[in-house]
Amino acid sequence: MARQGLKSPQESMADLSPVENLRIPSKEELRELREQPIDPQAEQEIIDSIEEVYFSNDSFDMVQHELEKLPPELNLQELEEYRDKLKRQQAAVSKKVADLILEKQPAYVKELERVTALQTNLQLAAVICTNARRQLSVAKEGFTEASLGLLANQRRRHLLTGLLKSLRTIKTLVKLTHMEEDYPGAIQLCLECQKASTSRLIETIIPLFLFFPPFPLTLALFPSLSSAYFWLQEQLDVALSKTCKHFDVSHYTKVQLAYTLLGKTQTAMDQLHMHFTQAIHNTVFQVVLGYVELCAGNADTKFQKMQYKDLCTHITLDSYIPCLTDLCKALWEVMLSYHRTMQWHEEHDKQETTPTPGKGFTCSLAVDRSYVKKKLEHGLTRIWQDVQLKVKAYILGTDMSNFKYDDFIVVLDVISRLMQVGEEFCGSKSEVLQESIKRQSVNYFKNYHRARLEELRMFLENETWELCPVKSNFNIAQLHEFKFMGQCRSPSVSPSRQAVSSTSPAQEELSLFQQYQREGNPFEMHMEHKEEETEDVLASNGYESDELEKSVYQDYDSDSDVPEELKQDYVDEQTGDAPLKSVPRETMRSKKKSDYNLNKTNAPILTNTTLNVIRLVGKYMQMMNILKPIAFDVIHCVSQLFDYYLYAVYTFFGRNDMYESSGLGLISSRLRTTLNRIQESLIDMTSTHPTNAGVHGPAEDRKEKVPSPHLSQLVVLTNSGTLYGLAQRVVATESLVFLAEQFESLQSHLDTMMPAAKKPFLQQFYSQTVSTASELRKPIYWIVAAKAIDYEQMLLMMAGVKWDIREIMSQHNVYVDVLLKEFEQFNKRLGEVSRHVRIPLPVSNVLWEHCIRLANRTLVEGYANVKKCSNEGRALMQLDFQQFLMKLEKLTDLRPIPDKEFVETYIKAYYLTENDMEQFIKNHREYSMKQLANLVNVCLGSHINKKARQKLLAAIDDIDRPKR
């Protein structure tokens, strides 16, 4: 009861608690209370002062409430005051209640009178009903059962008479029960029924035949012909939906004819597209759900209620590929059904046997055909878009970064085949699929490449640079990683392109829809191609068999299994120009003294690490061939593999600051630029060991770099008995050259895959990196040449020679014989190394060139140390050098002799005049300042004055001398 409004008297009385102090006043008391004079405003204020809790509910115990409010120490005066307050409140409430009761009393008396009158009327109605029943009973007795039977028989005879006139209609309806999916026949019969009878007649006939067992139960359930039509259209729609997964020409023909009879061809086409969309959704959901539930086992997860996108995230890695394959197979069936549907309509439109009852019918038919054609053509893109979105959700639902390489290739192959289906289906480039698989591919390939670089570093650090024994006719085309190049196909070739490229209809390549129109599935092919391929590239017993030497020429002729693409750019590593098989056998068999490559088989020089890099390149190219959108990323990673291998070979065998500063230009500016680029972009220089790789530098930058590799401790490069690890140096350097040659043979294939905008990167990689591989021979073999011969001993012996002689000598000095002896020993040790590792002709030429250049420069340095020299001494120098050249030419076929003019020009400079010497100093900057100063001091010192000599020495100091 709210404080602002009081309840009715009855409610007020019911709300009063059974407390003795609050009793209901009698009428006299009520009248007394009402007659007591009191100010209404004061009375309302007293009522408002009552606590809210008194208006809460009926179960409120006011006595308990007041007792709980008493203070711990009671004050009689306060208690009496508070009691008087409660009495005033009770009196006010009682007076208010009394006022309400007395106010409503007349209404109560009036309502009681109305109830009494109603009771009287009810008693009268009961008397009337009793009389009516009595009169009905009398009327019933007045008629006999025979009279009612006659009326019933008359009604039945009337109905049967009407039935006799519609027997043909009934016979037509009965035929419906014997038709199995003959929808056109059913529609035709219903139309005949409509012509022969009205709906009112059918409404009359069908209830009667409920009593006759032969009448079909299905039709008997319909109260009217319109209901039968509705049921038949529903069955027709169900039949139409069945064509979305398994297209049957006969079935579809019946359905289309039925819709034509109904005049709903356009409606049927709208329904068909809706069914195809639903079929795609239901198909993918059921396929994925089946695998998810199978892998989940007895897990209590409500997969049925999940969205398709969420369901795809529950696919396990083991079931990913089988589920993807089944998903594509199921979607292929849907798209094939749509394709065959279009074919049916195209063939149906070409037929001219369609009946044409009238002009209006012909116009209507043309409109329907035009609508169907446009609808089907528009539906191609819509259907394929739905397929792409479903497959995209599946692709992105799983993180494939931890997939095995072969499994990921299978995924790419399946998606590539699906994109080919899409292009043949509607000419789409499948941007949705390409973008989704590109995201997964870039993510996968980034992780995969990082792991492969770390793996390559491990291989290099454990590589002992021993030969990997392969057959003499080894070629990368024999590795199964490159088999795809012989049978590569474009991942998306449309039928129109195939028709244009074909020279004749007989040679025209069939599209996938033509190949698998009747049976089979294009997504079963990748399983067939994934068979284990065996390769036979390793030699049976390495390089230890003399029989292999005998058959080397036959082996090189047997290259019929090498693709033409790999033949045309192949450059033989022994000669540097033409393939070995083009060289006459007689020339091959004529062994030269400086040629150490024909005493063993001419098999390529490579290591296990080289073979591993080649296989990785094949895998990368296979991935790039399947998915061209990531071609640049893959080629960039391929270049990093070569960069890292080249940098490792240089770091292990070619880095030596002492010899690089010799001024002989061992490392070209192009090679130095390449090495610096590799070091800056790929090598993590802040870490010397993988355990502290994450201490320095930004984490993001370090992810793209690899620590510099370290040479295995098993490789010894300081032993003079092995020519300072010449065998390992040859294997390392020539394996790099071989790897570069394989990259050269793949350039045209990579160029076709590279996007046009990125082709400069590929060209730069080949021109500035791959082509520099052979340039590493100079710095690597220079170290061997510099240590193999004791040039210091020769300088000491030359210092002991007397050059200011007065007679022309006919005998050369001993130091020449000692130097030639060193060369003979070097030649012998080269032969010993070649018994274990074949030394190709370019390698032996570089070694001899380095040794001869060092010897000639040592001769010039020795001549420059001469303090006194006569003309006869100059002649002795020429004699010594000519003796050296004559004997040296018998040891090597290297022509011309390197730096021959360097020595001869220096010796001849002793005969120059003052003016000629000044010009000589300006033109010959290849000589050091010391060597030129010696010419001035020793040769011209006795012939010119001090002032002229100072002038020449000043000219020497002023010349900027870049090292050659």
Side-chain angles (χ1 to χ4, degrees):
M1 175 177 178
R3 174 174 294 180
Q4 289 76 11
L6 294 173
K7 297 182 180 180
S8 62
Q10 293 84 350
E11 292 174 342
S12 300
M13 293 174 65
D15 286 343
L16 296 177
S17 300
V19 181
E20 294 180 0
N21 294 335
L22 187 61
R23 60 183 179 84
I24 299 176
S26 62
K27 287 185 177 182
E28 293 75 10
E29 291 175 342
L30 289 174
R31 189 176 294 105
E32 292 176 0
L33 289 172
R34 191 175 183 183
E35 291 176 355
Q36 290 180 0
I38 188 170
D39 185 7
Q41 184 177 358
E43 180 183 358
Q44 186 63 36
E45 289 178 358
I46 293 174
I47 293 175
D48 291 341
S49 66
I50 300 175
E51 296 181 34
E52 291 286 346
V53 70
Y54 282 94
F55 302 94
S56 59
N57 51 52
D58 297 342
S59 60
F60 172 64
D61 190 347
M62 61 185 68
V63 175
Q64 182 68 26
H65 174 69
E66 294 297 337
L67 291 176
E68 290 176 354
K69 287 172 57 178
L70 293 177
E73 297 181 2
L74 301 177
N75 188 318
L76 181 60
Q77 184 178 357
E78 292 179 357
L79 287 177
E80 288 180 350
E81 292 177 356
Y82 186 70
R83 183 194 60 183
D84 295 341
K85 177 183 177 181
L86 290 177
K87 285 183 176 181
R88 287 193 300 272
Q89 291 176 349
Q90 183 183 16
V93 171
S94 299
K95 185 177 183 303
K96 189 70 174 177
V97 170
D99 291 343
L100 291 174
I101 291 174
L102 293 176
E103 182 180 350
K104 299 296 181 179
Q105 187 173 6
Y108 167 74
V109 174
K110 185 176 180 181
E111 189 66 26
L112 184 60
E113 292 176 352
R114 292 179 59 194
V115 170
T116 304
L118 179 62
Q119 183 178 5
T120 304
N121 292 335
L122 288 176
Q123 292 175 351
L124 179 60
V127 173
I128 294 173
C129 287
T130 301
N131 295 332
R133 288 180 180 179
R134 185 181 302 108
Q135 292 174 1
L136 285 174
S137 178
V138 173
K140 183 179 178 180
E141 293 176 357
F143 291 93
T144 61
E145 293 182 1
S147 300
L148 294 176
L150 289 174
L151 293 175
N153 289 335
Q154 178 63 24
R155 181 173 178 272
R156 182 177 295 240
R157 188 180 68 173
H158 179 73
L159 292 175
L160 290 176
T161 301
L163 180 61
L164 291 176
K165 299 178 182 179
S166 304
L167 286 178
R168 288 185 178 85
T169 302
I170 298 172
K171 182 179 180 181
T172 302
L173 290 174
V174 173
K175 289 182 180 179
L176 287 174
T177 58
H178 305 290
M179 295 181 178
E180 297 180 358
E181 298 188 355
D182 186 7
Y183 301 103
I187 295 295
Q188 190 65 39
L189 289 174
C190 286
L191 292 176
E192 292 178 5
C193 291
Q194 195 172 25
K195 293 179 182 179
S197 175
T198 62
S199 298
R200 183 177 182 85
L201 176 61
I202 298 300
E203 292 175 2
T204 306
I205 294 173
I206 290 179
L208 287 177
F209 272 80
L210 289 173
F211 301 98
F212 295 86
F215 193 80
L217 179 60
T218 305
L219 288 176
L221 297 176
F222 298 124
S224 65
L225 184 60
S226 60
S227 299
Y229 273 156
F230 181 76
W231 170 81
L232 192 56
Q233 290 179 29
E234 286 184 347
Q235 299 305 309
L236 199 56
D237 189 60
V238 172
L240 183 65
S241 67
K242 292 180 181 179
T243 64
C244 295
K245 292 185 178 180
H246 304 287
F247 184 85
D248 180 78
V249 175
S250 176
H251 178 81
Y252 189 74
T253 303
K254 294 179 180 178
V255 173
Q256 282 297 322
L257 183 55
Y259 273 110
T260 303
L261 292 173
L262 287 174
K264 296 185 177 182
T265 304
Q266 297 184 13
T267 304
M269 199 49 53
D270 296 337
Q271 289 293 107
L272 182 64
H273 281 80
M274 183 189 68
H275 288 315
F276 268 105
T277 302
Q278 191 65 28
I280 291 174
H281 174 76
N282 293 341
T283 298
V284 297
F285 187 84
Q286 291 302 323
V287 171
V288 176
L289 178 64
Y291 275 92
V292 170
E293 290 182 341
L294 180 64
C295 297
N298 296 326
D300 187 15
T301 307
K302 304 299 183 182
F303 296 114
Q304 289 278 0
K305 299 180 180 179
M306 283 188 177
Q307 295 292 328
Y308 170 75
K309 186 176 181 181
D310 299 330
L311 195 64
C312 291
T313 61
H314 289 77
I315 291 290
T316 62
L317 297 183
D318 294 336
S319 61
Y320 188 87
I321 293 178
C323 182
L324 176 62
T325 305
D326 288 347
L327 195 66
C328 292
K329 287 180 181 180
L331 290 172
W332 162 260
E333 294 295 337
V334 176
M335 288 186 288
L336 179 61
S337 295
Y338 194 89
H339 179 78
R340 295 187 65 187
T341 301
M342 291 192 66
Q343 281 187 329
W344 185 93
H345 282 279
E346 290 175 1
E347 295 173 359
H348 188 70
D349 291 346
K350 293 177 182 179
Q351 295 177 0
E352 300 179 354
T353 57
T354 307
T356 55
K359 227 179 219 185
F361 180 81
T362 304
C363 295
S364 175
L365 188 61
V367 171
D368 287 345
R369 287 182 177 179
S370 176
Y371 180 84
V372 169
K373 183 178 180 181
K374 292 180 179 179
K375 190 74 175 180
L376 287 172
E377 291 175 353
H378 177 72
L380 283 172
T381 305
R382 178 182 171 186
I383 295 291
W384 177 241
Q385 189 69 12
D386 289 343
V387 171
Q388 285 192 93
L389 293 175
K390 296 301 181 183
V391 178
K392 174 187 177 181
Y394 183 84
I395 292 174
L396 300 181
T398 302
D399 182 10
M400 291 189 278
S401 59
N402 296 321
F403 270 36
K404 296 179 181 178
Y405 172 81
D406 291 337
D407 291 341
F408 191 74
I409 287 296
V410 171
V411 173
L412 290 184
D413 189 48
V414 172
I415 300 303
S416 173
R417 180 56 61 93
L418 185 61
M419 287 191 288
Q420 181 184 357
V421 170
E423 182 160 353
E424 294 181 0
F425 185 69
C426 61
S428 171
K429 296 301 180 182
S430 307
E431 290 82 0
V432 175
L433 280 180
Q434 287 193 25
E435 181 61 29
S436 58
I437 198 64
K438 181 180 179 180
R439 285 172 54 186
Q440 286 285 28
S441 298
V442 171
N443 182 39
Y444 172 83
F445 194 74
K446 188 180 296 183
N447 294 334
Y448 180 80
H449 177 63
R450 176 66 186 177
R452 299 293 76 76
L453 280 179
E454 291 290 346
E455 186 180 271
L456 178 58
R457 181 170 70 90
M458 181 189 68
F459 270 104
L460 290 170
E461 292 184 344
N462 291 277
E463 179 63 68
T464 57
W465 304 103
E466 299 290 338
L467 281 173
C468 177
V470 295
K471 289 186 175 182
S472 57
N473 65 343
F474 169 76
N475 192 284
I476 60 173
Q478 300 166 3
L479 301 174
H480 70 79
E481 285 85 358
F482 291 90
K483 292 296 183 183
F484 74 95
M485 293 180 62
Q487 55 188 4
C488 64
R489 56 171 175 78
S490 173
S492 56
V493 181
S494 63
S496 58
R497 291 181 182 177
Q498 293 174 348
V500 171
S501 62
S502 302
T503 58
S504 66
Q507 296 175 346
E508 182 179 350
E509 184 180 354
L510 296 177
S511 68
L512 295 177
F513 287 97
Q514 293 171 334
Q515 295 178 40
Y516 302 98
Q517 184 171 6
R518 297 301 176 187
E519 59 182 358
N521 196 297
F523 296 97
E524 295 174 353
M525 291 188 63
H526 77 278
M527 300 302 293
E528 299 171 6
H529 289 305
K530 199 185 172 185
E531 57 186 5
E532 290 295 329
E533 300 180 15
T534 58
E535 56 188 20
D536 186 16
V537 297
L538 299 180
S540 57
N541 51 1
Y543 292 91
E544 303 301 325
S545 173
D546 293 334
E547 295 297 326
L548 291 177
E549 181 181 354
K550 299 178 182 179
S551 62
V552 58
Y553 309 102
Q554 291 82 353
D555 289 340
Y556 262 92
D557 289 335
S558 60
D559 62 349
S560 59
D561 58 338
V562 180
E564 290 298 329
E565 183 180 5
L566 296 178
K567 288 181 186 178
Q568 55 186 1
D569 295 330
Y570 181 75
V571 179
D572 185 39
E573 65 177 358
Q574 287 80 25
T575 63
D577 44 20
L580 188 59
K581 66 177 184 177
S582 64
V583 181
R585 295 186 181 181
E586 291 74 14
T587 305
M588 296 277 298
R589 294 184 185 276
S590 60
K591 177 182 177 183
K592 300 179 180 181
K593 289 187 171 53
S594 62
D595 189 357
Y596 301 90
N597 66 340
L598 293 180
N599 60 343
K600 292 296 170 186
T601 59
N602 285 329
I605 296 177
L606 69 160
T607 65
N608 287 325
T609 303
T610 316
L611 198 60
N612 180 63
V613 172
I614 293 174
R615 291 184 185 276
L616 273 180
V617 172
K619 290 181 178 181
Y620 283 21
M621 291 181 62
Q622 187 178 0
M623 186 180 299
M624 178 172 53
N625 184 65
I626 295 176
L627 192 64
K628 290 185 178 180
I630 65 168
F632 173 72
D633 302 277
V634 176
I635 291 179
H636 178 69
C637 294
V638 168
S639 68
Q640 288 187 341
L641 293 176
F642 186 86
D643 288 348
Y644 196 68
Y645 194 91
L646 182 145
Y647 186 85
V649 172
Y650 166 74
T651 304
F652 293 166
F653 303 103
R655 176 178 286 174
N656 193 305
D657 297 333
M658 180 180 68
Y659 299 116
E660 289 181 13
S661 61
S662 63
L664 295 177
L666 298 177
I667 298 182
S668 65
S669 59
R670 182 177 65 165
L671 178 58
R672 189 176 300 279
T673 302
T674 297
L675 292 171
N676 290 337
R677 176 189 61 78
I678 296 173
Q679 181 170 303
E680 292 175 3
S681 63
L682 187 60
I683 306 302
D684 183 7
M685 301 303 296
T686 61
S687 175
T688 57
H689 196 273
T691 54
N692 57 4
V695 177
H696 306 284
E700 291 300 324
D701 294 341
R702 297 179 57 81
K703 284 183 180 180
E704 305 298 329
K705 296 185 177 182
V706 187
S708 179
H710 304 285
L711 183 64
S712 172
Q713 296 180 354
L714 300 177
V715 180
V716 180
L717 302 178
T718 58
N719 188 355
S720 61
T722 61
L723 274 181
Y724 305 95
L726 178 60
Q728 288 81 7
R729 294 177 189 273
V730 169
V731 171
T733 309
E734 300 313 304
S735 66
L736 175 64
V737 173
F738 175 78
L739 184 61
E741 291 172 353
Q742 307 314 305
F743 269 80
E744 292 285 356
S745 68
L746 297 171
Q747 182 176 4
S748 60
H749 190 84
L750 294 175
D751 189 67
T752 58
M753 296 183 176
M754 181 67 96
K758 301 292 184 179
K759 285 189 177 182
F761 168 82
L762 184 65
Q763 296 169 359
Q764 184 179 13
F765 168 66
Y766 271 92
S767 62
Q768 298 185 8
T769 304
V770 177
S771 60
T772 61
S774 59
E775 296 182 12
L776 277 182
R777 286 171 172 162
K778 284 189 176 182
I780 290 176
Y781 297 135
W782 167 266
I783 300 174
V784 176
K787 294 182 178 181
I789 295 176
D790 192 353
Y791 304 101
E792 294 295 331
Q793 180 187 3
M794 187 173 67
L795 280 177
L796 293 175
M797 294 183 68
M798 292 179 69
V801 176
K802 187 177 181 181
W803 300 102
D804 56 346
I805 58 177
R806 296 302 174 185
E807 299 179 358
I808 296 178
M809 305 295 294
S810 61
Q811 181 65 33
H812 61 274
N813 285 302
V814 180
Y815 75 87
V816 176
D817 295 328
V818 174
L819 180 60
L820 289 171
K821 192 70 176 178
E822 288 278 335
F823 273 98
E824 289 176 357
Q825 185 66 24
F826 173 71
N827 190 25
K828 181 180 178 182
R829 292 163 75 182
L830 278 180
E832 293 175 354
V833 173
S834 68
R835 296 176 184 174
H836 304 284
V837 176
R838 175 173 60 86
I839 300 180
L841 182 60
V843 176
S844 63
N845 287 343
V846 169
L847 286 169
W848 278 99
E849 179 185 353
H850 283 334
C851 290
I852 295 172
R853 290 182 69 184
L854 284 170
N856 287 337
R857 290 174 178 272
T858 304
L859 288 174
V860 172
E861 187 66 22
Y863 297 150
N865 291 332
V866 175
K867 303 300 181 183
K868 295 180 180 181
C869 185
S870 61
N871 290 334
E872 291 78 8
R874 310 292 179 261
L876 181 58
M877 289 180 184
Q878 290 180 333
L879 176 63
D880 290 345
F881 185 62
Q882 292 302 322
Q883 181 67 19
F884 171 69
L885 291 179
M886 183 179 65
K887 294 292 182 70
L888 183 64
E889 288 176 351
K890 295 180 181 180
L891 292 175
T892 177
D893 289 326
L894 189 63
R895 300 292 185 275
I897 297 299
D899 281 351
K900 176 183 176 182
E901 294 79 6
F902 183 76
V903 181
E904 292 177 341
T905 302
Y906 189 80
I907 296 175
K908 292 176 182 179
Y910 280 96
Y911 302 101
L912 297 177
T913 62
E914 178 183 345
N915 294 332
D916 293 336
M917 180 60 71
E918 185 176 0
Q919 189 64 32
F920 180 87
I921 291 171
K922 294 179 179 179
N923 295 337
H924 294 275
R925 300 185 177 185
E926 66 270 20
Y927 299 106
S928 66
M929 296 177 61
K930 173 190 172 184
Q931 293 167 352
L932 293 174
N934 180 267
L935 289 176
V936 174
N937 292 324
V938 176
C939 299
L940 302 178
S942 58
H943 304 294
I944 60 176
N945 56 32
K946 184 176 180 181
K947 183 178 180 181
R949 185 169 63 248
Q950 292 296 332
K951 177 183 177 182
L952 292 174
L953 293 176
I956 294 174
D957 292 336
D958 293 341
I959 293 176
D960 182 19
R961 305 174 183 281
K963 301 300 181 181
R964 192 177 85 178

